[in-house]
Short mmCIF file of all heavy atoms in Angstrom, two decimals:
data_model
loop_
_atom_site.label_atom_id
_atom_site.label_comp_id
_atom_site.label_asym_id
_atom_site.label_seq_id
_atom_site.Cartn_x
_atom_site.Cartn_y
_atom_site.Cartn_z
N GLY A 1 -4.88 11.97 8.81
CA GLY A 1 -5.19 10.74 8.12
C GLY A 1 -4.02 9.78 8.17
O GLY A 1 -2.90 10.16 8.44
N MET A 2 -4.34 8.54 7.90
CA MET A 2 -3.32 7.51 7.95
C MET A 2 -2.87 7.18 6.54
O MET A 2 -3.71 7.03 5.65
CB MET A 2 -3.92 6.27 8.61
CG MET A 2 -2.96 5.15 8.83
SD MET A 2 -3.89 3.75 9.51
CE MET A 2 -2.62 3.02 10.51
N GLU A 3 -1.58 7.11 6.33
CA GLU A 3 -1.08 6.78 5.00
C GLU A 3 -0.52 5.37 5.03
O GLU A 3 0.19 5.00 5.94
CB GLU A 3 0.02 7.76 4.58
CG GLU A 3 0.52 7.46 3.18
CD GLU A 3 1.59 8.44 2.72
OE1 GLU A 3 2.61 8.55 3.40
OE2 GLU A 3 1.38 9.09 1.69
N HIS A 4 -0.90 4.60 4.05
CA HIS A 4 -0.38 3.24 3.92
C HIS A 4 0.38 3.17 2.61
O HIS A 4 -0.12 3.57 1.58
CB HIS A 4 -1.53 2.23 3.92
CG HIS A 4 -1.09 0.84 3.62
ND1 HIS A 4 -0.28 0.12 4.45
CD2 HIS A 4 -1.35 0.04 2.57
CE1 HIS A 4 -0.07 -1.07 3.90
NE2 HIS A 4 -0.70 -1.14 2.76
N ILE A 5 1.61 2.67 2.69
CA ILE A 5 2.42 2.55 1.47
C ILE A 5 2.87 1.11 1.32
O ILE A 5 3.39 0.51 2.25
CB ILE A 5 3.64 3.50 1.53
CG1 ILE A 5 3.17 4.95 1.45
CG2 ILE A 5 4.62 3.19 0.40
CD1 ILE A 5 4.23 5.98 1.62
N ASP A 6 2.62 0.55 0.17
CA ASP A 6 3.07 -0.80 -0.17
C ASP A 6 4.25 -0.65 -1.12
O ASP A 6 4.10 -0.10 -2.20
CB ASP A 6 1.94 -1.53 -0.92
CG ASP A 6 1.53 -2.79 -0.20
OD1 ASP A 6 2.17 -3.15 0.80
OD2 ASP A 6 0.57 -3.44 -0.65
N SER A 7 5.42 -1.11 -0.70
CA SER A 7 6.60 -0.98 -1.55
C SER A 7 6.92 -2.31 -2.22
O SER A 7 6.79 -3.36 -1.60
CB SER A 7 7.81 -0.57 -0.71
OG SER A 7 7.63 0.73 -0.21
N TYR A 8 7.34 -2.24 -3.45
CA TYR A 8 7.76 -3.43 -4.19
C TYR A 8 9.24 -3.25 -4.49
O TYR A 8 9.64 -2.29 -5.14
CB TYR A 8 6.95 -3.57 -5.48
CG TYR A 8 5.48 -3.79 -5.19
CD1 TYR A 8 4.66 -2.71 -4.90
CD2 TYR A 8 4.94 -5.06 -5.18
CE1 TYR A 8 3.31 -2.89 -4.59
CE2 TYR A 8 3.60 -5.25 -4.88
CZ TYR A 8 2.80 -4.17 -4.59
OH TYR A 8 1.47 -4.35 -4.29
N VAL A 9 10.05 -4.16 -3.97
CA VAL A 9 11.50 -4.01 -4.06
C VAL A 9 12.08 -5.15 -4.89
O VAL A 9 11.68 -6.30 -4.74
CB VAL A 9 12.12 -3.99 -2.65
CG1 VAL A 9 13.62 -3.90 -2.71
CG2 VAL A 9 11.54 -2.84 -1.83
N PHE A 10 13.01 -4.80 -5.76
CA PHE A 10 13.69 -5.80 -6.58
C PHE A 10 15.18 -5.50 -6.50
O PHE A 10 15.59 -4.36 -6.72
CB PHE A 10 13.19 -5.70 -8.04
CG PHE A 10 13.88 -6.67 -8.97
CD1 PHE A 10 13.60 -8.02 -8.90
CD2 PHE A 10 14.80 -6.22 -9.89
CE1 PHE A 10 14.22 -8.92 -9.75
CE2 PHE A 10 15.43 -7.11 -10.74
CZ PHE A 10 15.14 -8.47 -10.67
N ASN A 11 15.99 -6.51 -6.17
CA ASN A 11 17.43 -6.29 -5.98
C ASN A 11 17.71 -5.13 -5.04
O ASN A 11 18.55 -4.28 -5.33
CB ASN A 11 18.12 -6.04 -7.33
CG ASN A 11 18.31 -7.34 -8.11
OD1 ASN A 11 18.12 -8.42 -7.56
ND2 ASN A 11 18.67 -7.24 -9.35
N LYS A 12 17.00 -5.10 -3.91
CA LYS A 12 17.17 -4.08 -2.87
C LYS A 12 16.82 -2.66 -3.31
O LYS A 12 17.05 -1.71 -2.58
CB LYS A 12 18.61 -4.10 -2.31
CG LYS A 12 18.98 -5.42 -1.67
CD LYS A 12 20.22 -5.26 -0.79
CE LYS A 12 20.55 -6.54 -0.04
NZ LYS A 12 21.49 -7.38 -0.77
N ALA A 13 16.27 -2.49 -4.51
CA ALA A 13 15.88 -1.15 -4.96
C ALA A 13 14.36 -1.09 -5.09
O ALA A 13 13.77 -1.95 -5.73
CB ALA A 13 16.54 -0.83 -6.30
N GLU A 14 13.77 -0.11 -4.46
CA GLU A 14 12.33 0.05 -4.57
C GLU A 14 12.02 0.52 -5.99
O GLU A 14 12.61 1.50 -6.44
CB GLU A 14 11.85 1.09 -3.56
CG GLU A 14 10.36 1.28 -3.61
CD GLU A 14 9.88 2.31 -2.59
OE1 GLU A 14 10.54 3.35 -2.44
OE2 GLU A 14 8.85 2.06 -1.98
N TYR A 15 11.14 -0.20 -6.69
CA TYR A 15 10.86 0.20 -8.06
C TYR A 15 9.44 0.71 -8.24
O TYR A 15 9.17 1.47 -9.17
CB TYR A 15 11.19 -0.91 -9.06
CG TYR A 15 10.31 -2.13 -9.02
CD1 TYR A 15 9.20 -2.24 -9.85
CD2 TYR A 15 10.59 -3.19 -8.16
CE1 TYR A 15 8.39 -3.37 -9.82
CE2 TYR A 15 9.79 -4.31 -8.13
CZ TYR A 15 8.69 -4.40 -8.96
OH TYR A 15 7.89 -5.51 -8.92
N VAL A 16 8.55 0.32 -7.35
CA VAL A 16 7.18 0.83 -7.45
C VAL A 16 6.55 0.73 -6.07
O VAL A 16 6.89 -0.14 -5.29
CB VAL A 16 6.37 0.07 -8.53
CG1 VAL A 16 6.14 -1.37 -8.14
CG2 VAL A 16 5.06 0.77 -8.86
N ARG A 17 5.65 1.65 -5.76
CA ARG A 17 4.92 1.55 -4.51
C ARG A 17 3.49 1.99 -4.72
O ARG A 17 3.19 2.76 -5.61
CB ARG A 17 5.58 2.36 -3.39
CG ARG A 17 5.48 3.86 -3.57
CD ARG A 17 5.76 4.62 -2.30
NE ARG A 17 7.05 4.33 -1.70
CZ ARG A 17 7.66 5.15 -0.83
NH1 ARG A 17 7.11 6.31 -0.51
NH2 ARG A 17 8.81 4.83 -0.30
N PHE A 18 2.62 1.46 -3.86
CA PHE A 18 1.23 1.91 -3.86
C PHE A 18 1.11 2.95 -2.76
O PHE A 18 1.46 2.69 -1.62
CB PHE A 18 0.27 0.75 -3.59
CG PHE A 18 -1.17 1.19 -3.54
CD1 PHE A 18 -1.86 1.43 -4.72
CD2 PHE A 18 -1.81 1.40 -2.34
CE1 PHE A 18 -3.19 1.86 -4.70
CE2 PHE A 18 -3.14 1.82 -2.30
CZ PHE A 18 -3.82 2.04 -3.48
N ASN A 19 0.66 4.13 -3.12
CA ASN A 19 0.52 5.21 -2.15
C ASN A 19 -0.97 5.43 -1.90
O ASN A 19 -1.71 5.77 -2.82
CB ASN A 19 1.18 6.47 -2.71
CG ASN A 19 1.16 7.60 -1.71
OD1 ASN A 19 0.17 7.84 -1.04
ND2 ASN A 19 2.27 8.30 -1.63
N SER A 20 -1.39 5.23 -0.64
CA SER A 20 -2.82 5.30 -0.32
C SER A 20 -3.36 6.72 -0.40
O SER A 20 -4.54 6.92 -0.60
CB SER A 20 -3.06 4.74 1.08
OG SER A 20 -2.48 5.59 2.06
N THR A 21 -2.50 7.70 -0.22
CA THR A 21 -2.95 9.09 -0.25
C THR A 21 -3.46 9.46 -1.64
O THR A 21 -4.49 10.11 -1.77
CB THR A 21 -1.80 10.05 0.16
OG1 THR A 21 -1.31 9.62 1.43
CG2 THR A 21 -2.30 11.47 0.29
N VAL A 22 -2.73 9.04 -2.67
CA VAL A 22 -3.17 9.33 -4.04
C VAL A 22 -3.99 8.16 -4.60
O VAL A 22 -4.63 8.30 -5.63
CB VAL A 22 -1.97 9.65 -4.96
CG1 VAL A 22 -1.37 10.99 -4.57
CG2 VAL A 22 -0.91 8.58 -4.92
N GLY A 23 -3.95 7.03 -3.93
CA GLY A 23 -4.72 5.87 -4.37
C GLY A 23 -4.21 5.28 -5.67
O GLY A 23 -4.97 4.74 -6.46
N ARG A 24 -2.91 5.44 -5.89
CA ARG A 24 -2.31 4.97 -7.14
C ARG A 24 -0.93 4.38 -6.88
O ARG A 24 -0.33 4.62 -5.84
CB ARG A 24 -2.11 6.13 -8.12
CG ARG A 24 -3.37 6.77 -8.62
CD ARG A 24 -3.08 7.98 -9.49
NE ARG A 24 -2.39 7.63 -10.73
CZ ARG A 24 -2.98 7.11 -11.79
NH1 ARG A 24 -4.27 6.86 -11.76
NH2 ARG A 24 -2.30 6.84 -12.88
N PHE A 25 -0.46 3.63 -7.86
CA PHE A 25 0.92 3.15 -7.83
C PHE A 25 1.83 4.23 -8.38
O PHE A 25 1.46 4.95 -9.30
CB PHE A 25 1.07 1.89 -8.69
CG PHE A 25 0.41 0.69 -8.10
CD1 PHE A 25 -0.88 0.34 -8.48
CD2 PHE A 25 1.06 -0.10 -7.17
CE1 PHE A 25 -1.50 -0.77 -7.94
CE2 PHE A 25 0.44 -1.21 -6.62
CZ PHE A 25 -0.85 -1.54 -7.00
N VAL A 26 3.02 4.35 -7.79
CA VAL A 26 4.01 5.33 -8.23
C VAL A 26 5.29 4.57 -8.55
O VAL A 26 5.78 3.80 -7.73
CB VAL A 26 4.29 6.36 -7.10
CG1 VAL A 26 5.27 7.42 -7.58
CG2 VAL A 26 3.00 7.00 -6.62
N GLY A 27 5.82 4.77 -9.76
CA GLY A 27 7.04 4.08 -10.17
C GLY A 27 8.27 4.93 -9.94
O GLY A 27 8.21 6.16 -10.00
N TYR A 28 9.39 4.27 -9.65
CA TYR A 28 10.65 4.97 -9.36
C TYR A 28 11.76 4.65 -10.35
O TYR A 28 12.78 5.32 -10.37
CB TYR A 28 11.14 4.63 -7.94
CG TYR A 28 10.23 5.23 -6.90
CD1 TYR A 28 9.24 4.47 -6.31
CD2 TYR A 28 10.33 6.57 -6.56
CE1 TYR A 28 8.38 5.03 -5.38
CE2 TYR A 28 9.47 7.14 -5.64
CZ TYR A 28 8.50 6.36 -5.04
OH TYR A 28 7.64 6.92 -4.14
N THR A 29 11.57 3.58 -11.11
CA THR A 29 12.56 3.23 -12.12
C THR A 29 11.80 3.06 -13.43
O THR A 29 10.56 3.09 -13.44
CB THR A 29 13.25 1.89 -11.78
OG1 THR A 29 12.25 0.86 -11.77
CG2 THR A 29 13.93 1.93 -10.42
N GLU A 30 12.52 2.87 -14.51
CA GLU A 30 11.87 2.68 -15.81
C GLU A 30 10.90 1.49 -15.73
O GLU A 30 9.76 1.56 -16.17
CB GLU A 30 12.93 2.44 -16.88
CG GLU A 30 12.39 2.57 -18.30
CD GLU A 30 13.44 2.26 -19.35
OE1 GLU A 30 14.64 2.29 -19.02
OE2 GLU A 30 13.05 1.99 -20.50
N HIS A 31 11.38 0.41 -15.12
CA HIS A 31 10.57 -0.80 -14.95
C HIS A 31 9.37 -0.50 -14.05
O HIS A 31 8.25 -0.91 -14.33
CB HIS A 31 11.46 -1.90 -14.34
CG HIS A 31 10.72 -3.16 -14.03
ND1 HIS A 31 10.16 -3.96 -15.01
CD2 HIS A 31 10.43 -3.76 -12.84
CE1 HIS A 31 9.58 -5.00 -14.43
NE2 HIS A 31 9.73 -4.89 -13.12
N GLY A 32 9.64 0.23 -12.96
CA GLY A 32 8.57 0.57 -12.02
C GLY A 32 7.51 1.46 -12.64
O GLY A 32 6.32 1.29 -12.38
N LEU A 33 7.95 2.42 -13.46
CA LEU A 33 7.00 3.33 -14.12
C LEU A 33 6.07 2.54 -15.03
O LEU A 33 4.87 2.80 -15.09
CB LEU A 33 7.75 4.41 -14.90
CG LEU A 33 8.43 5.48 -14.03
CD1 LEU A 33 9.40 6.31 -14.86
CD2 LEU A 33 7.41 6.37 -13.34
N LYS A 34 6.63 1.55 -15.75
CA LYS A 34 5.81 0.72 -16.65
C LYS A 34 4.80 -0.08 -15.84
O LYS A 34 3.64 -0.19 -16.21
CB LYS A 34 6.70 -0.22 -17.47
CG LYS A 34 7.42 0.51 -18.60
CD LYS A 34 8.16 -0.48 -19.50
CE LYS A 34 8.95 0.25 -20.58
NZ LYS A 34 10.33 -0.20 -20.66
N ASN A 35 5.27 -0.67 -14.72
CA ASN A 35 4.37 -1.44 -13.86
C ASN A 35 3.28 -0.54 -13.29
O ASN A 35 2.11 -0.90 -13.29
CB ASN A 35 5.14 -2.06 -12.70
CG ASN A 35 5.82 -3.35 -13.07
OD1 ASN A 35 6.20 -3.55 -14.21
ND2 ASN A 35 5.99 -4.23 -12.12
N ALA A 36 3.68 0.64 -12.79
CA ALA A 36 2.71 1.56 -12.18
C ALA A 36 1.64 1.93 -13.19
O ALA A 36 0.44 1.94 -12.88
CB ALA A 36 3.44 2.80 -11.68
N GLU A 37 2.06 2.21 -14.41
CA GLU A 37 1.12 2.60 -15.46
C GLU A 37 0.13 1.46 -15.73
O GLU A 37 -1.08 1.68 -15.82
CB GLU A 37 1.91 2.93 -16.74
CG GLU A 37 1.18 3.82 -17.70
CD GLU A 37 2.01 4.13 -18.94
OE1 GLU A 37 3.25 4.22 -18.81
OE2 GLU A 37 1.42 4.27 -20.02
N ALA A 38 0.65 0.25 -15.83
CA ALA A 38 -0.19 -0.91 -16.11
C ALA A 38 -1.14 -1.17 -14.94
O ALA A 38 -2.34 -1.41 -15.13
CB ALA A 38 0.68 -2.14 -16.37
N TRP A 39 -0.61 -1.12 -13.71
CA TRP A 39 -1.43 -1.43 -12.54
C TRP A 39 -2.46 -0.35 -12.28
O TRP A 39 -3.56 -0.63 -11.84
CB TRP A 39 -0.54 -1.64 -11.31
CG TRP A 39 0.36 -2.82 -11.44
CD1 TRP A 39 0.31 -3.80 -12.38
CD2 TRP A 39 1.48 -3.15 -10.60
NE1 TRP A 39 1.32 -4.71 -12.18
CE2 TRP A 39 2.05 -4.33 -11.09
CE3 TRP A 39 2.04 -2.53 -9.48
CZ2 TRP A 39 3.16 -4.93 -10.50
CZ3 TRP A 39 3.15 -3.13 -8.89
CH2 TRP A 39 3.71 -4.32 -9.39
N ASN A 40 -2.12 0.91 -12.54
CA ASN A 40 -3.06 2.00 -12.32
C ASN A 40 -4.23 1.92 -13.29
O ASN A 40 -5.32 2.41 -13.00
CB ASN A 40 -2.37 3.37 -12.46
CG ASN A 40 -1.54 3.70 -11.24
OD1 ASN A 40 -1.85 3.29 -10.12
ND2 ASN A 40 -0.47 4.44 -11.44
N SER A 41 -4.01 1.32 -14.46
CA SER A 41 -5.09 1.21 -15.43
C SER A 41 -5.88 -0.08 -15.24
O SER A 41 -6.82 -0.36 -15.97
CB SER A 41 -4.54 1.30 -16.86
OG SER A 41 -3.66 0.22 -17.10
N ASP A 42 -5.49 -0.89 -14.26
CA ASP A 42 -6.18 -2.15 -13.97
C ASP A 42 -7.00 -1.99 -12.69
O ASP A 42 -6.47 -2.00 -11.59
CB ASP A 42 -5.14 -3.27 -13.80
CG ASP A 42 -5.80 -4.64 -13.64
OD1 ASP A 42 -6.86 -4.73 -13.00
OD2 ASP A 42 -5.23 -5.62 -14.15
N ALA A 43 -8.30 -1.79 -12.87
CA ALA A 43 -9.19 -1.54 -11.73
C ALA A 43 -9.14 -2.68 -10.71
O ALA A 43 -9.29 -2.45 -9.51
CB ALA A 43 -10.61 -1.33 -12.22
N GLY A 44 -8.93 -3.91 -11.19
CA GLY A 44 -8.87 -5.06 -10.29
C GLY A 44 -7.71 -4.97 -9.33
O GLY A 44 -7.86 -5.21 -8.13
N ILE A 45 -6.55 -4.60 -9.85
CA ILE A 45 -5.36 -4.50 -9.00
C ILE A 45 -5.50 -3.32 -8.04
O ILE A 45 -5.22 -3.44 -6.85
CB ILE A 45 -4.07 -4.36 -9.85
CG1 ILE A 45 -3.84 -5.66 -10.63
CG2 ILE A 45 -2.87 -4.04 -8.97
CD1 ILE A 45 -2.66 -5.63 -11.59
N LEU A 46 -5.98 -2.19 -8.54
CA LEU A 46 -6.20 -1.02 -7.66
C LEU A 46 -7.19 -1.36 -6.55
O LEU A 46 -6.97 -1.02 -5.40
CB LEU A 46 -6.72 0.17 -8.48
CG LEU A 46 -5.67 1.04 -9.17
CD1 LEU A 46 -6.37 2.16 -9.93
CD2 LEU A 46 -4.67 1.61 -8.19
N GLY A 47 -8.26 -2.04 -6.91
CA GLY A 47 -9.27 -2.41 -5.92
C GLY A 47 -8.72 -3.34 -4.86
O GLY A 47 -9.05 -3.23 -3.69
N GLN A 48 -7.84 -4.24 -5.28
CA GLN A 48 -7.22 -5.18 -4.36
C GLN A 48 -6.35 -4.41 -3.36
O GLN A 48 -6.38 -4.69 -2.16
CB GLN A 48 -6.34 -6.16 -5.17
CG GLN A 48 -5.87 -7.36 -4.39
CD GLN A 48 -5.00 -8.27 -5.27
OE1 GLN A 48 -5.22 -8.40 -6.48
NE2 GLN A 48 -4.02 -8.87 -4.67
N GLU A 49 -5.58 -3.44 -3.82
CA GLU A 49 -4.75 -2.63 -2.93
C GLU A 49 -5.62 -1.83 -1.96
O GLU A 49 -5.32 -1.74 -0.79
CB GLU A 49 -3.86 -1.68 -3.74
CG GLU A 49 -2.61 -2.33 -4.30
CD GLU A 49 -1.56 -2.68 -3.24
OE1 GLU A 49 -1.61 -2.16 -2.11
OE2 GLU A 49 -0.67 -3.48 -3.56
N GLN A 50 -6.70 -1.24 -2.48
CA GLN A 50 -7.59 -0.45 -1.61
C GLN A 50 -8.21 -1.35 -0.54
O GLN A 50 -8.37 -0.93 0.60
CB GLN A 50 -8.69 0.22 -2.45
CG GLN A 50 -8.19 1.23 -3.46
CD GLN A 50 -7.75 2.56 -2.84
OE1 GLN A 50 -7.54 2.66 -1.63
NE2 GLN A 50 -7.60 3.56 -3.67
N GLY A 51 -8.55 -2.59 -0.92
CA GLY A 51 -9.10 -3.55 0.03
C GLY A 51 -8.08 -3.92 1.09
O GLY A 51 -8.40 -4.01 2.28
N GLU A 52 -6.83 -4.13 0.68
CA GLU A 52 -5.75 -4.41 1.62
C GLU A 52 -5.63 -3.26 2.61
O GLU A 52 -5.48 -3.46 3.80
CB GLU A 52 -4.41 -4.54 0.89
CG GLU A 52 -4.24 -5.79 0.05
CD GLU A 52 -4.17 -7.04 0.90
OE1 GLU A 52 -3.55 -7.01 1.98
OE2 GLU A 52 -4.76 -8.06 0.49
N LEU A 53 -5.70 -2.06 2.09
CA LEU A 53 -5.57 -0.86 2.91
C LEU A 53 -6.66 -0.83 3.97
O LEU A 53 -6.39 -0.58 5.14
CB LEU A 53 -5.67 0.37 2.00
CG LEU A 53 -5.79 1.73 2.68
CD1 LEU A 53 -4.51 2.05 3.43
CD2 LEU A 53 -6.07 2.80 1.66
N GLU A 54 -7.89 -1.11 3.57
CA GLU A 54 -8.99 -1.08 4.53
C GLU A 54 -8.82 -2.13 5.61
O GLU A 54 -9.00 -1.85 6.79
CB GLU A 54 -10.32 -1.31 3.81
CG GLU A 54 -11.09 -0.02 3.65
CD GLU A 54 -12.33 -0.19 2.81
OE1 GLU A 54 -13.13 -1.10 3.10
OE2 GLU A 54 -12.48 0.60 1.86
N ARG A 55 -8.43 -3.34 5.20
CA ARG A 55 -8.21 -4.41 6.18
C ARG A 55 -7.07 -4.03 7.12
O ARG A 55 -7.17 -4.21 8.32
CB ARG A 55 -7.86 -5.72 5.46
CG ARG A 55 -9.07 -6.58 5.17
CD ARG A 55 -8.68 -8.02 4.91
NE ARG A 55 -7.71 -8.13 3.83
CZ ARG A 55 -8.01 -8.04 2.55
NH1 ARG A 55 -9.26 -7.81 2.17
NH2 ARG A 55 -7.09 -8.16 1.63
N PHE A 56 -5.99 -3.52 6.56
CA PHE A 56 -4.81 -3.13 7.33
C PHE A 56 -5.17 -2.08 8.37
O PHE A 56 -4.83 -2.20 9.54
CB PHE A 56 -3.73 -2.62 6.36
CG PHE A 56 -2.51 -2.05 7.02
CD1 PHE A 56 -1.51 -2.89 7.48
CD2 PHE A 56 -2.36 -0.68 7.16
CE1 PHE A 56 -0.38 -2.36 8.09
CE2 PHE A 56 -1.23 -0.14 7.77
CZ PHE A 56 -0.24 -0.99 8.23
N CYS A 57 -5.87 -1.04 7.95
CA CYS A 57 -6.22 0.06 8.85
C CYS A 57 -7.19 -0.39 9.92
O CYS A 57 -7.03 -0.07 11.09
CB CYS A 57 -6.82 1.23 8.08
SG CYS A 57 -5.59 2.10 7.09
N LYS A 58 -8.21 -1.17 9.54
CA LYS A 58 -9.19 -1.64 10.51
C LYS A 58 -8.51 -2.55 11.54
O LYS A 58 -8.75 -2.43 12.72
CB LYS A 58 -10.31 -2.41 9.80
CG LYS A 58 -11.26 -1.50 9.04
CD LYS A 58 -12.58 -2.20 8.77
CE LYS A 58 -13.57 -1.25 8.13
NZ LYS A 58 -13.49 -1.26 6.66
N HIS A 59 -7.64 -3.41 11.07
CA HIS A 59 -6.93 -4.33 11.94
C HIS A 59 -6.10 -3.56 12.96
O HIS A 59 -6.15 -3.82 14.15
CB HIS A 59 -6.04 -5.26 11.10
CG HIS A 59 -5.20 -6.18 11.93
ND1 HIS A 59 -5.75 -7.22 12.65
CD2 HIS A 59 -3.87 -6.23 12.16
CE1 HIS A 59 -4.77 -7.85 13.29
NE2 HIS A 59 -3.63 -7.26 13.00
N ASN A 60 -5.35 -2.58 12.49
CA ASN A 60 -4.51 -1.79 13.39
C ASN A 60 -5.34 -0.94 14.35
O ASN A 60 -4.97 -0.76 15.50
CB ASN A 60 -3.56 -0.89 12.59
CG ASN A 60 -2.36 -1.67 12.09
OD1 ASN A 60 -2.35 -2.89 12.17
ND2 ASN A 60 -1.38 -0.97 11.59
N ALA A 61 -6.47 -0.45 13.89
CA ALA A 61 -7.37 0.33 14.74
C ALA A 61 -7.88 -0.56 15.87
O ALA A 61 -7.96 -0.13 17.02
CB ALA A 61 -8.52 0.90 13.93
N ASP A 62 -8.19 -1.81 15.56
CA ASP A 62 -8.66 -2.76 16.59
C ASP A 62 -7.57 -2.99 17.63
O ASP A 62 -7.84 -3.05 18.82
CB ASP A 62 -9.05 -4.10 15.96
CG ASP A 62 -10.35 -3.99 15.15
OD1 ASP A 62 -11.05 -2.98 15.32
OD2 ASP A 62 -10.63 -4.91 14.38
N ILE A 63 -6.34 -3.14 17.17
CA ILE A 63 -5.22 -3.38 18.08
C ILE A 63 -5.04 -2.18 19.01
O ILE A 63 -4.93 -2.32 20.22
CB ILE A 63 -3.91 -3.66 17.30
CG1 ILE A 63 -4.01 -5.01 16.59
CG2 ILE A 63 -2.71 -3.65 18.24
CD1 ILE A 63 -2.90 -5.28 15.60
N ASP A 64 -5.05 -0.97 18.42
CA ASP A 64 -4.89 0.25 19.22
C ASP A 64 -6.01 0.38 20.24
O ASP A 64 -5.78 0.75 21.38
CB ASP A 64 -4.88 1.49 18.32
CG ASP A 64 -3.64 1.54 17.44
OD1 ASP A 64 -2.68 0.82 17.76
OD2 ASP A 64 -3.64 2.28 16.45
N TYR A 65 -7.21 0.06 19.82
CA TYR A 65 -8.37 0.20 20.68
C TYR A 65 -8.26 -0.74 21.89
O TYR A 65 -8.47 -0.34 23.01
CB TYR A 65 -9.64 -0.09 19.88
CG TYR A 65 -10.91 0.22 20.62
CD1 TYR A 65 -11.19 1.50 21.04
CD2 TYR A 65 -11.83 -0.79 20.90
CE1 TYR A 65 -12.35 1.81 21.73
CE2 TYR A 65 -13.01 -0.50 21.58
CZ TYR A 65 -13.27 0.79 22.00
OH TYR A 65 -14.42 1.07 22.67
N SER A 66 -7.87 -1.99 21.63
CA SER A 66 -7.76 -2.94 22.74
C SER A 66 -6.60 -2.57 23.66
O SER A 66 -6.67 -2.80 24.87
CB SER A 66 -7.63 -4.38 22.22
OG SER A 66 -6.49 -4.49 21.39
N ALA A 67 -5.55 -1.96 23.11
CA ALA A 67 -4.43 -1.52 23.95
C ALA A 67 -4.88 -0.41 24.89
O ALA A 67 -4.49 -0.37 26.05
CB ALA A 67 -3.27 -1.03 23.07
N ILE A 68 -5.74 0.47 24.38
CA ILE A 68 -6.27 1.57 25.21
C ILE A 68 -7.17 0.98 26.31
O ILE A 68 -7.09 1.37 27.47
CB ILE A 68 -7.08 2.58 24.35
CG1 ILE A 68 -6.12 3.33 23.41
CG2 ILE A 68 -7.83 3.56 25.22
CD1 ILE A 68 -6.81 4.03 22.25
N LEU A 69 -8.00 0.02 25.94
CA LEU A 69 -8.91 -0.60 26.94
C LEU A 69 -8.10 -1.30 28.02
O LEU A 69 -8.48 -1.25 29.19
CB LEU A 69 -9.84 -1.61 26.26
CG LEU A 69 -10.94 -1.03 25.37
CD1 LEU A 69 -11.75 -2.15 24.75
CD2 LEU A 69 -11.84 -0.11 26.18
N ASP A 70 -7.00 -1.95 27.67
CA ASP A 70 -6.17 -2.66 28.65
C ASP A 70 -5.59 -1.70 29.69
O ASP A 70 -5.37 -2.08 30.82
CB ASP A 70 -5.02 -3.39 27.96
CG ASP A 70 -5.52 -4.60 27.17
OD1 ASP A 70 -6.68 -5.02 27.41
OD2 ASP A 70 -4.77 -5.09 26.33
N LYS A 71 -5.33 -0.46 29.28
CA LYS A 71 -4.68 0.49 30.18
C LYS A 71 -5.65 1.08 31.21
O LYS A 71 -5.22 1.60 32.23
CB LYS A 71 -4.07 1.65 29.36
CG LYS A 71 -2.86 1.24 28.57
CD LYS A 71 -2.11 2.47 28.05
CE LYS A 71 -0.88 2.09 27.27
NZ LYS A 71 -1.15 1.90 25.83
N THR A 72 -6.95 0.99 30.94
CA THR A 72 -7.89 1.64 31.85
C THR A 72 -8.20 0.78 33.07
O THR A 72 -8.00 -0.43 33.05
CB THR A 72 -9.22 2.00 31.14
OG1 THR A 72 -9.71 0.81 30.50
CG2 THR A 72 -8.99 3.09 30.11
#
């Protein structure tokens, strides 16, 4: 399977990321944990990330597919 991770960085430190494997936000700092908790309980934000993931994967699959066709 393909894993997509969205990282949110503040002052060069990653504080929260969306992990597609678990389908949730994961916090790494106190601030990030609070954000992750809030975002995980917000179906709208989770849905938006899942939608991004689908677009991202479909888009990349199209690129890979056309690259394969070009080689034949």
Side-chain angles (χ1 to χ4, degrees):
M2 184 184 211
E3 182 178 57
H4 173 66
I5 291 175
D6 239 355
S7 294
Y8 297 81
V9 177
F10 178 72
N11 283 349
K12 299 197 175 93
E14 181 180 42
Y15 69 94
V16 67
R17 69 163 56 159
F18 179 78
N19 185 317
S20 68
T21 306
V22 291
R24 294 175 66 78
F25 289 95
V26 183
Y28 291 98
T29 62
E30 194 183 342
H31 176 66
L33 288 167
K34 284 187 183 130
N35 277 30
E37 202 179 327
W39 296 348
N40 284 329
S41 62
D42 186 323
I45 294 176
L46 275 180
Q48 192 180 326
E49 279 289 343
Q50 296 285 16
E52 288 292 321
L53 170 67
E54 256 173 52
R55 268 199 305 282
F56 174 82
C57 288
K58 286 200 175 90
H59 176 70
N60 280 11
D62 289 345
I63 292 170
D64 292 342
Y65 188 62
S66 58
I68 291 163
L69 289 179
D70 289 344
K71 288 194 179 89
T72 53

